[in-house]
Amino acid sequence: MVLRTIEWKDNSVVMIDQTKLPNTLEYVTYTDYNQVADAIRNLVVRGAPAIGVSGAFGLALAALQSDATEKNELISYLENAKKILFETRPTAVNLAWGLDKIMQVASQAITVDEIRTNVVKTAKKMAEEDIQINMAMGKNGSELFDDNDTIMTHCNAGALATVGYGTALGVIRATKDSGKNVKVIATETRPVQQGSRLTAFELKHDGINVSLIPDTAVGYTMANGLVNKIIVGADRILRTGHVYNKIGTYQVAIMAKQHDIPFYVAAPLSTFDMKSNPEDVIIEQRKASEVTGIGDKKTAPDGIDVINPAFDMTPPELVSGIITENGIAKPPFEESIKELFEAN
Ligand code: MRU
């Protein structure tokens, strides 16, 4: 059974604690939106679509937590909760998308009871729709992959990065389900190992053929003909086709260009930021300890200066296609992305 990452159960949010993987598949239950904010900040839940739905669930919890009896009072409680949830991670645009959607529903309701009922209902619907969207994206993307392809992926854009099924790994699942035989090469994805801890875990869990490589073997595998297509997810895609994804994606894309290997991105429309320009996007900088050690083991000298960006930007000229639930955008992206939104 494909993993379900986040769920609303009995007025609480249940999610897989991804910091414990791959050793333990453990679920945590939250009833306070501050716990959800901590979970996002500390990577208990991560991946752009999963963060978006977690934000929405966080606000639904906040609506239940507040003892407001007047609409204005409840809206200002939600505004404050939204701020706390929004500030947890700056790069994935799905978080703002999820929070804004819930705030819009709250502002349209008339009574406090109506707000509470509608925000919970909407957040639950967003979670179900996430899986449906991923399955549609998978079906669209599977047309780009052939029997006996070996597909490289970076980070984790799977069931664990979404509510279920996944974006990039959803395309791989759909390709396999269409009867094609595919193999996956997963990069380890230093520093926090979303490739080895999460992608390798979930593909193995689902019986999909996967080999793990150190990030430093990307060039070797391409140069030696061990990979013939690449697919990654995204945290934010601009209207120009600039793709923000896990640190290291840019290097993979550059090497793919050098070796003439198609480089695809799979992401739902909620990952597109049609307003910002590259200079507006904040790249999250994470703590030095992620780099100065592996797990609990120290691997660098005390006091060393560290640069630890969580994401990088891949320019549109390195991207062969962007797979969405509405179809596949091909270069030139400014036009094809616009068309995908118009088809909505
Ligand atoms: O820091 P993370 O683990 O949240 O980063 C996740 C990624 O970069 C994923 O590739 C991206 O969110 C797409 S997930 C469908």
Side-chain angles (χ1 to χ4, degrees):
M1 206 183 66
V2 175
L3 297 161
R4 168 100 187 194
T5 305
I6 324 156
E7 205 165 1
W8 182 268
K9 247 188 202 166
D10 306 327
N11 286 345
S12 55
V13 180
V14 180
M15 51 174 83
I16 294 175
D17 181 350
Q18 300 192 35
T19 63
K20 302 275 167 61
L21 289 171
N23 299 324
T24 323
L25 180 56
E26 201 175 296
Y27 292 80
V28 281
T29 302
Y30 300 132
T31 50
D32 182 329
Y33 75 87
N34 289 293
Q35 293 172 309
V36 176
D38 280 342
I40 298 173
R41 211 175 284 119
N42 299 324
L43 309 184
V44 168
V45 63
R46 32 65 53 201
I51 297 175
V53 172
S54 298
F57 276 159
L59 274 187
L61 285 182
L64 300 183
Q65 271 172 266
S66 159
D67 51 17
T69 51
E70 298 293 329
K71 177 175 173 178
N72 285 351
E73 212 187 328
L74 182 50
I75 294 288
S76 65
Y77 188 90
L78 290 178
E79 288 289 1
N80 182 54
K82 177 190 165 180
K83 187 169 177 293
I84 290 168
L85 288 158
F86 178 73
E87 284 170 355
T88 52
R89 297 195 76 191
T91 309
V93 78
N94 307 59
L95 180 56
W97 167 86
L99 295 170
D100 286 344
K101 205 159 172 175
I102 295 295
M103 289 310 295
Q104 199 189 347
V105 167
S107 68
Q108 281 163 356
I110 294 163
T111 66
V112 285
D113 287 344
E114 219 181 310
I115 294 179
R116 292 190 175 102
T117 309
N118 291 359
V119 298
V120 170
K121 202 167 133 200
T122 305
K124 283 168 77 175
K125 190 160 169 258
M126 285 164 83
E128 294 316 314
E129 281 175 357
D130 177 80
I131 299 177
Q132 300 311 318
I133 286 169
N134 293 337
M135 293 181 89
M137 200 186 312
K139 196 161 176 284
N140 291 339
S142 65
E143 290 164 20
L144 297 168
F145 295 86
D146 297 309
D147 199 23
N148 296 324
D149 270 349
T150 301
I151 308 164
M152 177 180 284
T153 190
H154 183 63
C155 191
N156 173 268
L160 289 165
T162 60
V163 177
Y165 202 72
T167 57
L169 299 191
V171 172
I172 291 172
R173 284 194 170 92
T175 304
K176 188 175 175 253
D177 290 346
S178 73
K180 294 172 197 161
N181 178 32
V182 288
K183 285 187 196 152
V184 179
I185 290 188
T187 58
E188 199 182 11
T189 320
R190 270 287 285 158
V192 293
Q193 325 272 127
Q194 291 95 330
S196 59
R197 291 190 308 105
L198 310 176
T199 295
F201 169 82
E202 81 165 74
L203 292 182
K204 214 163 167 284
H205 175 274
D206 287 2
I208 296 175
N209 186 325
V210 56
S211 300
L212 181 66
I213 59 163
D215 298 321
T216 40
V218 167
Y220 173 94
T221 51
M222 290 188 193
N224 286 282
L226 302 180
V227 46
N228 59 324
K229 275 170 199 151
I230 295 154
I231 189 163
V232 297
D235 289 82
R236 188 184 296 233
I237 301 174
L238 305 189
R239 64 183 179 285
T240 43
H242 289 77
V243 173
Y244 294 80
N245 192 47
K246 178 54 51 190
I247 193 74
T249 303
Y250 176 47
Q251 292 170 190
V252 174
I254 294 250
M255 279 194 253
K257 188 80 167 177
Q258 167 74 12
H259 295 286
D260 209 13
I261 299 173
F263 178 90
Y264 296 112
V265 178
L269 295 182
S270 55
T271 299
F272 286 74
D273 171 357
M274 301 296 275
K275 292 197 191 105
S276 302
N277 294 310
E279 59 275 18
D280 305 322
V281 179
I282 300 169
I283 299 286
E284 176 183 1
Q285 304 291 322
R286 294 191 62 85
K287 54 187 186 212
S289 59
E290 289 179 354
V291 181
T292 54
I294 298 179
D296 292 337
K297 192 171 172 0
K298 196 159 83 71
T299 56
D302 287 335
I304 189 76
D305 286 339
V306 166
I307 301 169
N308 184 20
F311 303 98
D312 59 24
M313 187 269 281
T314 298
E317 60 271 20
L318 299 179
V319 180
S320 313
I322 303 176
I323 303 155
T324 75
E325 66 272 33
N326 273 12
I328 303 168
K330 292 270 179 72
F333 288 113
E334 199 129 18
E335 287 160 38
S336 57
I337 290 174
K338 205 166 152 245
E339 278 168 24
L340 286 184
F341 272 85
E342 282 165 2
N344 218 9

